[in-house]
Amino acid sequence: LLAATATAALADYPEKPVTIVVPFAAGGPTDKVARDLAETLRKQLNNQSVVIENVGGAGGTLGAAKVAKSSPDGYTLLLHHIGMATSPALYRKLPYETLTDFEYLGLVNEVPMTLIGRSTLPATDFASLRTWINANKGKINLANAGLGAASHLCGLLFQQALAVDMTTVPYKGTAPAMTDLLGGQVDIMCDQTTNTTQQIETGKVKAFAVTTTKRLATPSLAKLPTLDEAGLKGFNVTIWHGLYAPKGTPKAVTDKINAALRKALADADFHKRQEALGAVIVTDARVGGAEHKKFVEAEIAKWGPVIKAAGQYAD
Ligand code: MLT
Protein backbone atom coordinates (compact mmCIF):
# COMPACT_ATOMS: atom_id res chain seq x y z
CA LEU A 1 0.00 0.00 0.00
CA LEU A 2 2.86 2.36 0.95
CA ALA A 3 4.59 1.87 -2.39
CA ALA A 4 1.33 2.42 -4.23
CA THR A 5 0.70 5.60 -2.24
CA ALA A 6 4.23 6.80 -2.95
CA THR A 7 3.83 6.09 -6.66
CA ALA A 8 0.49 7.91 -6.72
CA ALA A 9 2.11 10.90 -5.00
CA LEU A 10 4.90 10.93 -7.60
CA ALA A 11 2.40 10.85 -10.44
CA ASP A 12 0.75 14.01 -9.12
CA TYR A 13 4.04 15.85 -8.33
CA PRO A 14 4.00 18.74 -7.70
CA GLU A 15 0.93 18.87 -5.49
CA LYS A 16 2.11 21.95 -3.53
CA PRO A 17 4.41 24.94 -4.21
CA VAL A 18 8.02 24.14 -5.19
CA THR A 19 10.78 26.21 -3.58
CA ILE A 20 13.92 27.14 -5.49
CA VAL A 21 16.68 28.30 -3.15
CA VAL A 22 18.88 31.07 -4.57
CA PRO A 23 22.13 31.19 -2.55
CA PHE A 24 22.57 34.94 -3.05
CA ALA A 25 20.63 38.11 -2.20
CA ALA A 26 17.50 39.03 -4.14
CA GLY A 27 17.94 41.19 -7.22
CA GLY A 28 21.33 39.80 -8.27
CA PRO A 29 22.15 37.79 -11.40
CA THR A 30 21.41 34.39 -9.87
CA ASP A 31 18.12 35.63 -8.41
CA LYS A 32 17.14 37.16 -11.75
CA VAL A 33 17.76 33.89 -13.60
CA ALA A 34 15.88 31.94 -10.93
CA ARG A 35 12.78 34.19 -10.90
CA ASP A 36 12.61 34.26 -14.67
CA LEU A 37 13.03 30.48 -14.86
CA ALA A 38 10.55 29.89 -12.01
CA GLU A 39 7.80 31.74 -13.87
CA THR A 40 8.45 29.68 -17.02
CA LEU A 41 8.82 26.39 -15.05
CA ARG A 42 5.49 26.92 -13.25
CA LYS A 43 3.61 26.42 -16.51
CA GLN A 44 5.30 23.05 -16.96
CA LEU A 45 4.63 21.89 -13.37
CA ASN A 46 0.83 21.63 -13.10
CA ASN A 47 0.79 25.44 -12.73
CA GLN A 48 1.92 24.92 -9.14
CA SER A 49 3.62 28.06 -7.81
CA VAL A 50 7.42 27.98 -7.84
CA VAL A 51 8.69 30.28 -5.09
CA ILE A 52 12.19 31.71 -4.68
CA GLU A 53 13.90 31.63 -1.30
CA ASN A 54 17.06 33.75 -1.06
CA VAL A 55 19.59 32.20 1.33
CA GLY A 56 22.74 34.31 1.03
CA GLY A 57 26.07 34.06 2.79
CA ALA A 58 29.49 32.42 2.52
CA GLY A 59 29.65 32.89 -1.24
CA GLY A 60 26.59 30.76 -1.91
CA THR A 61 27.65 27.76 0.19
CA LEU A 62 25.05 28.38 2.94
CA GLY A 63 22.18 28.14 0.45
CA ALA A 64 23.69 25.08 -1.23
CA ALA A 65 24.14 23.39 2.16
CA LYS A 66 20.52 24.10 3.09
CA VAL A 67 19.28 22.31 -0.04
CA ALA A 68 21.71 19.42 0.41
CA LYS A 69 20.14 18.86 3.84
CA SER A 70 16.52 19.34 2.70
CA SER A 71 14.13 16.41 2.34
CA PRO A 72 14.58 14.71 -1.07
CA ASP A 73 10.94 15.13 -2.14
CA GLY A 74 11.30 17.53 -5.07
CA TYR A 75 9.85 20.50 -3.19
CA THR A 76 13.20 22.16 -2.38
CA LEU A 77 15.54 22.80 -5.32
CA LEU A 78 18.74 24.84 -5.73
CA LEU A 79 19.61 27.21 -8.55
CA HIS A 80 23.36 27.80 -8.31
CA HIS A 81 26.29 28.72 -10.54
CA ILE A 82 30.04 28.24 -11.04
CA GLY A 83 30.41 28.50 -7.27
CA MET A 84 29.46 24.80 -7.18
CA ALA A 85 32.81 24.19 -8.91
CA THR A 86 35.02 26.69 -7.06
CA SER A 87 33.76 26.19 -3.47
CA PRO A 88 35.33 22.72 -3.02
CA ALA A 89 38.79 24.34 -3.38
CA LEU A 90 37.86 27.49 -1.45
CA TYR A 91 36.37 25.89 1.69
CA ARG A 92 38.31 23.46 3.85
CA LYS A 93 35.13 22.33 5.61
CA LEU A 94 32.43 22.60 2.92
CA PRO A 95 29.16 21.45 4.61
CA TYR A 96 28.22 19.25 1.64
CA GLU A 97 29.79 17.04 -1.01
CA THR A 98 29.25 18.73 -4.40
CA LEU A 99 29.11 15.59 -6.51
CA THR A 100 27.29 13.22 -4.13
CA ASP A 101 24.87 15.34 -2.07
CA PHE A 102 22.82 16.56 -5.04
CA GLU A 103 20.79 15.24 -7.92
CA TYR A 104 21.81 17.15 -11.06
CA LEU A 105 18.73 18.42 -12.90
CA GLY A 106 20.28 20.24 -15.87
CA LEU A 107 22.38 23.24 -16.88
CA VAL A 108 20.35 26.43 -17.56
CA ASN A 109 22.48 29.18 -19.07
CA GLU A 110 25.96 30.62 -19.60
CA VAL A 111 26.58 34.26 -18.70
CA PRO A 112 29.53 36.51 -19.56
CA MET A 113 30.92 38.97 -17.03
CA THR A 114 31.81 42.64 -17.38
CA LEU A 115 34.48 44.60 -15.56
CA ILE A 116 32.75 47.74 -14.27
CA GLY A 117 33.61 50.71 -12.07
CA ARG A 118 31.95 53.55 -10.20
CA SER A 119 30.93 56.37 -12.58
CA THR A 120 33.28 58.83 -10.78
CA LEU A 121 36.39 56.78 -11.64
CA PRO A 122 38.91 58.95 -13.56
CA ALA A 123 39.25 56.20 -16.21
CA THR A 124 37.37 56.01 -19.49
CA ASP A 125 38.71 52.75 -20.95
CA PHE A 126 40.67 49.67 -19.90
CA ALA A 127 44.06 51.29 -20.59
CA SER A 128 43.30 54.30 -18.38
CA LEU A 129 41.75 52.00 -15.76
CA ARG A 130 45.01 50.04 -15.69
CA THR A 131 46.96 53.29 -15.25
CA TRP A 132 44.65 54.33 -12.41
CA ILE A 133 45.02 50.90 -10.74
CA ASN A 134 48.81 51.08 -10.92
CA ALA A 135 48.73 54.61 -9.47
CA ASN A 136 46.41 53.60 -6.60
CA LYS A 137 47.86 50.32 -5.38
CA GLY A 138 46.76 49.58 -1.81
CA LYS A 139 43.76 51.92 -2.02
CA ILE A 140 41.43 50.04 -4.37
CA ASN A 141 38.16 48.46 -3.16
CA LEU A 142 36.96 45.53 -5.26
CA ALA A 143 33.41 44.34 -4.51
CA ASN A 144 32.37 40.69 -4.65
CA ALA A 145 29.79 38.31 -3.18
CA GLY A 146 32.13 36.29 -0.97
CA LEU A 147 34.37 33.26 -1.48
CA GLY A 148 32.49 31.01 -3.90
CA ALA A 149 30.85 33.84 -5.81
CA ALA A 150 31.32 34.32 -9.54
CA SER A 151 32.43 37.88 -8.80
CA HIS A 152 35.02 36.47 -6.39
CA LEU A 153 36.51 34.11 -8.99
CA CYS A 154 36.68 36.84 -11.65
CA GLY A 155 38.10 39.39 -9.20
CA LEU A 156 40.73 36.89 -8.04
CA LEU A 157 41.86 36.17 -11.62
CA PHE A 158 41.84 39.91 -12.40
CA GLN A 159 44.10 40.72 -9.45
CA GLN A 160 46.43 37.86 -10.40
CA ALA A 161 46.60 39.01 -14.06
CA LEU A 162 47.49 42.56 -12.98
CA ALA A 163 49.67 41.37 -10.08
CA VAL A 164 47.88 43.94 -7.93
CA ASP A 165 46.28 43.08 -4.56
CA MET A 166 43.03 44.92 -3.91
CA THR A 167 40.89 45.22 -0.81
CA THR A 168 37.93 42.94 -1.46
CA VAL A 169 34.58 43.99 0.02
CA PRO A 170 32.22 40.98 0.29
CA TYR A 171 28.42 41.25 0.06
CA LYS A 172 25.58 38.69 0.22
CA GLY A 173 25.19 39.10 -3.52
CA THR A 174 26.13 41.46 -6.31
CA ALA A 175 22.80 43.29 -6.01
CA PRO A 176 23.83 44.92 -2.70
CA ALA A 177 27.37 45.25 -4.08
CA MET A 178 25.99 47.13 -7.08
CA THR A 179 24.15 49.52 -4.73
CA ASP A 180 27.46 50.49 -3.13
CA LEU A 181 29.19 50.75 -6.52
CA LEU A 182 26.44 53.09 -7.72
CA GLY A 183 26.95 55.07 -4.52
CA GLY A 184 30.70 55.22 -5.07
CA GLN A 185 31.48 53.32 -1.84
CA VAL A 186 33.51 50.73 -3.80
CA ASP A 187 35.63 51.23 -6.92
CA ILE A 188 35.33 48.22 -9.25
CA MET A 189 33.57 44.90 -9.62
CA CYS A 190 33.44 41.97 -12.00
CA ASP A 191 29.80 40.96 -12.42
CA GLN A 192 27.50 39.09 -14.76
CA THR A 193 25.88 40.93 -17.65
CA THR A 194 22.45 39.95 -16.31
CA ASN A 195 23.13 42.43 -13.49
CA THR A 196 25.26 45.04 -15.24
CA THR A 197 23.78 45.54 -18.74
CA GLN A 198 21.09 48.03 -17.68
CA GLN A 199 23.45 49.95 -15.38
CA ILE A 200 25.97 50.21 -18.23
CA GLU A 201 23.30 51.30 -20.73
CA THR A 202 22.09 54.07 -18.41
CA GLY A 203 25.67 55.19 -17.73
CA LYS A 204 25.27 54.65 -13.97
CA VAL A 205 28.47 52.58 -13.98
CA LYS A 206 31.51 52.64 -16.25
CA ALA A 207 32.24 49.47 -18.24
CA PHE A 208 35.79 48.59 -19.22
CA ALA A 209 35.87 45.08 -20.67
CA VAL A 210 34.20 41.69 -20.90
CA THR A 211 35.65 38.45 -19.48
CA THR A 212 34.90 36.13 -22.42
CA THR A 213 37.31 35.52 -25.30
CA LYS A 214 34.80 36.89 -27.83
CA ARG A 215 33.15 40.32 -27.71
CA LEU A 216 29.46 40.27 -26.85
CA ALA A 217 26.59 40.48 -29.33
CA THR A 218 24.45 42.71 -27.07
CA PRO A 219 24.60 46.07 -28.94
CA SER A 220 25.30 48.15 -25.82
CA LEU A 221 28.19 45.80 -24.82
CA ALA A 222 29.64 45.01 -28.27
CA LYS A 223 32.09 47.92 -28.11
CA LEU A 224 33.70 46.60 -24.92
CA PRO A 225 37.03 44.87 -25.53
CA THR A 226 37.66 41.43 -24.11
CA LEU A 227 40.21 41.40 -21.28
CA ASP A 228 42.23 39.05 -23.49
CA GLU A 229 42.53 41.61 -26.32
CA ALA A 230 43.02 44.42 -23.80
CA GLY A 231 46.25 42.77 -22.67
CA LEU A 232 45.28 40.14 -20.07
CA LYS A 233 46.14 37.29 -22.41
CA GLY A 234 44.08 34.14 -21.93
CA PHE A 235 41.59 35.75 -19.54
CA ASN A 236 38.43 33.70 -20.01
CA VAL A 237 35.56 33.47 -17.51
CA THR A 238 31.98 32.46 -18.34
CA ILE A 239 29.48 31.89 -15.52
CA TRP A 240 26.90 29.11 -15.74
CA HIS A 241 23.77 28.29 -13.73
CA GLY A 242 22.37 24.82 -13.01
CA LEU A 243 19.43 23.30 -11.18
CA TYR A 244 19.85 20.77 -8.33
CA ALA A 245 17.79 18.68 -5.89
CA PRO A 246 18.88 16.91 -2.69
CA LYS A 247 20.44 13.47 -3.23
CA GLY A 248 17.80 10.74 -3.03
CA THR A 249 15.01 12.71 -4.69
CA PRO A 250 13.04 9.96 -6.53
CA LYS A 251 13.95 9.50 -10.19
CA ALA A 252 10.30 9.89 -11.23
CA VAL A 253 10.40 13.37 -9.68
CA THR A 254 13.80 14.42 -11.03
CA ASP A 255 12.77 13.18 -14.49
CA LYS A 256 9.59 15.27 -14.26
CA ILE A 257 11.56 18.36 -13.19
CA ASN A 258 14.13 17.83 -15.95
CA ALA A 259 11.37 17.46 -18.57
CA ALA A 260 9.79 20.68 -17.29
CA LEU A 261 13.20 22.40 -17.37
CA ARG A 262 13.79 21.35 -20.99
CA LYS A 263 10.41 22.83 -21.98
CA ALA A 264 11.10 26.01 -19.99
CA LEU A 265 14.51 26.42 -21.66
CA ALA A 266 12.81 26.07 -25.06
CA ASP A 267 10.37 28.89 -24.21
CA ALA A 268 10.94 31.67 -26.78
CA ASP A 269 10.09 34.49 -24.37
CA PHE A 270 12.48 33.12 -21.74
CA HIS A 271 15.22 33.00 -24.42
CA LYS A 272 14.50 36.60 -25.50
CA ARG A 273 14.57 37.97 -21.93
CA GLN A 274 17.76 36.17 -21.06
CA GLU A 275 19.54 37.08 -24.30
CA ALA A 276 18.63 40.74 -23.90
CA LEU A 277 20.78 40.58 -20.75
CA GLY A 278 23.69 38.82 -22.45
CA ALA A 279 22.92 35.32 -21.14
CA VAL A 280 22.94 32.30 -23.48
CA ILE A 281 20.45 29.50 -22.78
CA VAL A 282 21.97 26.00 -22.81
CA THR A 283 20.60 23.94 -25.70
CA ASP A 284 23.13 21.09 -25.78
CA ALA A 285 23.23 17.75 -23.91
CA ARG A 286 24.11 19.52 -20.64
CA VAL A 287 20.39 20.23 -20.15
CA GLY A 288 20.34 16.56 -19.08
CA GLY A 289 21.34 15.66 -15.52
CA ALA A 290 24.15 13.25 -16.41
CA GLU A 291 25.89 15.70 -18.78
CA HIS A 292 25.26 18.56 -16.33
CA LYS A 293 27.06 16.57 -13.62
CA LYS A 294 29.95 15.67 -15.96
CA PHE A 295 30.31 19.37 -16.83
CA VAL A 296 30.47 20.38 -13.15
CA GLU A 297 33.04 17.64 -12.51
CA ALA A 298 35.18 19.07 -15.33
CA GLU A 299 34.76 22.62 -13.96
CA ILE A 300 35.87 21.44 -10.49
CA ALA A 301 38.98 19.93 -12.11
CA LYS A 302 39.57 23.14 -14.09
CA TRP A 303 39.14 25.74 -11.34
CA GLY A 304 40.46 23.78 -8.35
CA PRO A 305 44.15 24.16 -9.22
CA VAL A 306 43.65 27.86 -10.14
CA ILE A 307 42.01 28.55 -6.77
CA LYS A 308 44.62 26.52 -4.86
CA ALA A 309 47.46 28.35 -6.68
CA ALA A 310 45.93 31.63 -5.47
CA GLY A 311 46.20 30.30 -1.93
CA GLN A 312 42.81 31.70 -0.94
CA TYR A 313 40.57 29.57 1.26
CA ALA A 314 38.08 29.75 4.11
CA ASP A 315 37.86 27.38 7.08
C1 MLT B 1 24.50 37.03 -7.33
O1 MLT B 1 23.49 36.48 -7.76
O2 MLT B 1 24.51 37.91 -6.45
C2 MLT B 1 25.80 36.66 -7.93
O3 MLT B 1 25.72 35.39 -8.51
C3 MLT B 1 26.87 36.76 -6.93
C4 MLT B 1 28.15 36.25 -7.52
O4 MLT B 1 28.23 35.03 -7.66
O5 MLT B 1 28.99 37.07 -7.88
Side-chain angles (χ1 to χ4, degrees):
L1 177 65
L2 262 184
T5 320
T7 316
L10 292 188
D12 301 339
Y13 170 86
E15 297 174 288
K16 61 182 182 182
V18 175
T19 296
I20 296 182
V21 170
V22 168
F24 293 100
T30 304
D31 185 67
K32 282 181 184 160
V33 174
R35 288 178 195 274
D36 197 347
L37 181 67
E39 182 41 35
T40 317
L41 263 183
R42 182 184 54 75
K43 298 172 206 155
Q44 311 299 339
L45 289 172
N46 308 341
N47 269 317
Q48 266 300 343
S49 51
V50 178
V51 295
I52 300 296
E53 184 186 350
N54 298 90
V55 180
T61 56
L62 290 190
K66 176 183 170 96
V67 175
K69 298 182 175 74
S70 298
S71 70
D73 56 13
Y75 289 101
T76 307
L77 307 179
L78 170 70
L79 189 94
H80 199 355
H81 62 29
I82 198 169
M84 284 291 265
T86 59
S87 298
L90 284 167
Y91 288 84
R92 288 186 166 169
K93 294 193 214 77
L94 200 57
Y96 58 83
E97 280 298 321
T98 305
L99 295 173
T100 54
D101 285 346
F102 297 95
E103 302 295 344
Y104 284 62
L105 301 177
L107 206 62
V108 174
N109 70 2
E110 293 182 300
V111 193
M113 300 189 93
T114 45
L115 181 66
I116 58 176
R118 58 182 163 80
S119 59
T120 50
L121 269 186
T124 50
D125 58 12
F126 184 73
S128 52
L129 174 73
R130 199 162 183 176
T131 306
W132 178 81
I133 287 173
N134 286 331
N136 288 276
K137 286 184 180 175
K139 293 184 280 184
I140 299 169
N141 290 320
L142 169 78
N144 70 27
L147 263 65
S151 47
H152 165 264
L153 174 66
C154 183
L156 179 67
L157 298 174
F158 183 60
Q159 291 174 85
Q160 282 183 332
L162 292 182
V164 174
D165 284 338
M166 301 174 187
T167 306
T168 51
V169 184
Y171 295 81
K172 286 199 182 301
T174 48
M178 180 65 84
T179 303
D180 275 8
L181 190 75
L182 293 170
Q185 273 78 31
V186 284
D187 299 311
I188 54 176
M189 175 161 75
C190 193
D191 194 13
Q192 298 163 66
T193 54
T194 33
N195 197 34
T196 62
T197 303
Q198 273 137 355
Q199 307 293 2
I200 293 168
E201 287 170 348
T202 55
K204 291 203 188 114
V205 296
K206 282 183 174 175
F208 299 103
V210 296
T211 63
T212 40
T213 50
K214 280 210 314 277
R215 289 195 178 203
L216 303 185
T218 313
S220 56
L221 305 176
K223 64 185 180 310
L224 295 177
T226 67
L227 281 172
D228 176 70
E229 75 180 83
L232 305 192
K233 284 289 156 242
F235 202 103
N236 182 12
V237 176
T238 296
I239 305 310
W240 41 267
H241 287 90
L243 194 62
Y244 307 85
K247 184 74 185 167
T249 303
K251 189 170 180 326
V253 172
T254 57
D255 285 351
K256 201 160 192 181
I257 297 170
N258 180 260
L261 177 66
R262 288 168 187 270
K263 287 205 192 90
L265 294 183
D267 181 287
D269 293 338
F270 178 69
H271 264 256
K272 248 197 311 262
R273 290 194 298 270
Q274 287 286 304
E275 279 164 9
L277 294 173
V280 177
I281 303 302
V282 172
T283 53
D284 58 42
R286 295 172 299 169
V287 297
E291 289 304 316
H292 170 200
K293 184 168 184 175
K294 260 193 241 157
F295 173 71
V296 173
E297 253 173 317
E299 287 284 287
I300 290 173
K302 170 180 172 183
W303 293 112
V306 174
I307 300 274
K308 288 203 171 74
Q312 265 198 9
Y313 59 83
D315 275 327

